[in-house]
Amino acid sequence: MIEKLEQLCELVLHEVDEAQDLKTVNDLRVTYLGKKSPIQELSQEMRNLSIEEKKVFGKTLNEVTTKLNNAIEEKRSVLEAIELNNKLESESIDISLPATKVNLGTPNILERIIEEIEELLISMGYDVVDGPEIEEDRFNFELLNIPKGHPARDAQDTFYLEDEKILLRSQTSPVQARVMLENKGQKPIRMICPGKTYRRDNDDATHSHQFMQIEGLLVDKNVSLSDLKGTIDVIVKKLFGETIETRFRPSYYQFTEPSVEVDISCFNCHGDGCNICKSSGWITVAGAGIVHPNVLRNCGYNPEEWTGFAFGFGAERLAMLKYGINDIRVFYSTDLRELKTFDRKDND
Ligand code: DAH
């Protein structure tokens, strides 16, 4: 029996030695040292031996089991180390390789124009306010002196949501009414409101059903047209350069009286004649005027006591002029290549 045991031991040691992977080693343990292994079978037979034989066989059995256990453990740690090394090698990261380039985003051109105007007007004491894009007819039209049935509504046809009472605002001017009502006819106001506006227009190179305006309102005592002109002049000089001049042309808006169209001298040809100014030397950039007494009254301000001016720039129009874009649809096509074109370092 002892001989059998020793032969078995030799065989197992040999197989352990030959084993190439951890699974084989584990299998060997189960096969030769597990419950139904030949070693267990031999130990079962021990009960048929005499006491003396038992002693000798028991000792050998212990030695063999320990030897095999040790051999298996040793082999296992060797194979584990090899496996770990292989893994480390195959998954290693070469830190000397150049890093993956992170693509930096580009500020949206419209946002850039808006921020430029905001920064300037904040420095002049204006607040930047927000208004809802889903607006009531009352604010978008009625309080602004555009009653139901007024022909001026045709030019500002928009998207109606509920009973013609709730609509997508066609201009940012309703925010004037909201801010005046909030101040309850008591306090002077200086505010600008940049934001999205909507009209039922068919999209083409110069029209978009969605666009952005930058509204301005100042309400105080003794405000005059020259205050408006001075303010507009500072804005357009900031946007287009110090040599730019401002011209007011008479116009008509329902919420201002008098109303004006704001033209700037052509930054491209300086009056020599070019496509941008259609050879007139002047480019229209905004609508503006002195707040109509009806609007002041509608919004809780006494027109005998208070006066104000208001203006509205089209953000896309400013951006198109400034960056030489000839199609308004570029802003809403979400084509990153277009937006990247305008990632000019000199404007950062
Ligand atoms: N809301 C006008 C429009 O959409 C633009 C405008 C004109 C705004 C005159 C004003 C203003 O505040 O005084 O055409």
Side-chain angles (χ1 to χ4, degrees), residues 47-253:
R47 61 189 147 191
N48 306 325
L49 299 177
S50 68
I51 297 182
E52 274 314 301
E53 281 171 329
K54 255 188 203 159
K55 262 188 193 166
V56 182
F57 182 77
K59 194 166 168 264
T60 318
L61 184 71
N62 275 344
E63 279 169 5
V64 167
T65 322
T66 316
K67 209 178 195 177
L68 291 182
N69 263 327
N70 289 348
I72 286 174
E73 266 324 296
E74 212 172 284
K75 184 75 184 191
R76 210 224 303 253
S77 50
V78 170
L79 288 176
E80 266 174 2
I82 292 174
E83 213 161 87
L84 183 66
N85 276 341
N86 286 345
K87 205 170 178 190
L88 285 176
E89 232 162 74
S90 66
E91 291 176 5
S92 69
I93 301 165
D94 184 351
I95 55 165
S96 66
L97 282 173
T100 319
K101 199 173 163 253
V102 176
N103 281 328
L104 285 182
T106 311
N108 181 281
I109 326 161
L110 293 174
E111 287 302 326
R112 205 187 276 185
I113 294 271
I114 288 170
E115 269 174 28
E116 223 174 312
I117 295 182
E118 277 180 3
E119 214 172 275
L120 174 71
L121 286 166
I122 287 171
S123 77
M124 291 161 72
Y126 284 69
D127 290 328
V128 179
V129 299
D130 255 345
E133 287 170 34
I134 298 175
E135 187 53 286
E136 292 174 38
D137 182 281
R138 196 162 71 97
F139 291 106
N140 197 75
F141 292 126
E142 271 170 47
L143 292 173
L144 296 175
N145 207 25
I146 316 174
K148 288 230 157 54
H150 194 291
R153 287 190 177 219
D154 288 351
Q156 299 217 9
D157 196 11
T158 181
F159 302 93
Y160 289 84
L161 304 176
E162 238 175 66
D163 298 341
E164 306 214 334
K165 276 196 188 130
I166 309 287
L167 44 82
L168 294 187
R169 69 180 176 191
S170 61
Q171 48 185 353
T172 42
S173 305
V175 186
Q176 290 185 26
R178 286 184 172 272
V179 173
M180 279 192 263
L181 285 170
E182 252 165 49
N183 283 288
K184 300 191 165 62
Q186 299 301 319
K187 282 189 257 165
I189 296 169
R190 283 182 204 195
M191 70 96 182
I192 55 163
C193 166
K196 292 197 197 95
T197 46
Y198 305 84
R199 284 191 199 171
R200 236 204 83 216
D201 274 339
N202 289 325
D203 294 356
D204 62 22
T206 51
H207 295 86
S208 171
H209 62 282
Q210 177 191 326
F211 56 105
M212 291 188 94
Q213 290 189 334
I214 307 160
E215 189 78 20
L217 171 71
L218 181 141
V219 176
D220 212 324
K221 309 275 164 81
N222 303 317
V223 177
S224 73
L225 208 57
S226 63
D227 295 320
L228 170 63
K229 194 159 187 207
T231 306
I232 298 268
D233 203 50
V234 176
I235 298 173
V236 298
K237 282 190 161 64
K238 171 91 194 308
L239 288 176
F240 295 102
E242 283 303 312
T243 57
I244 298 300
E245 285 176 50
T246 313
R247 175 177 91 168
F248 278 180
R249 263 184 308 118
S251 186
Y252 171 73
Y253 293 102

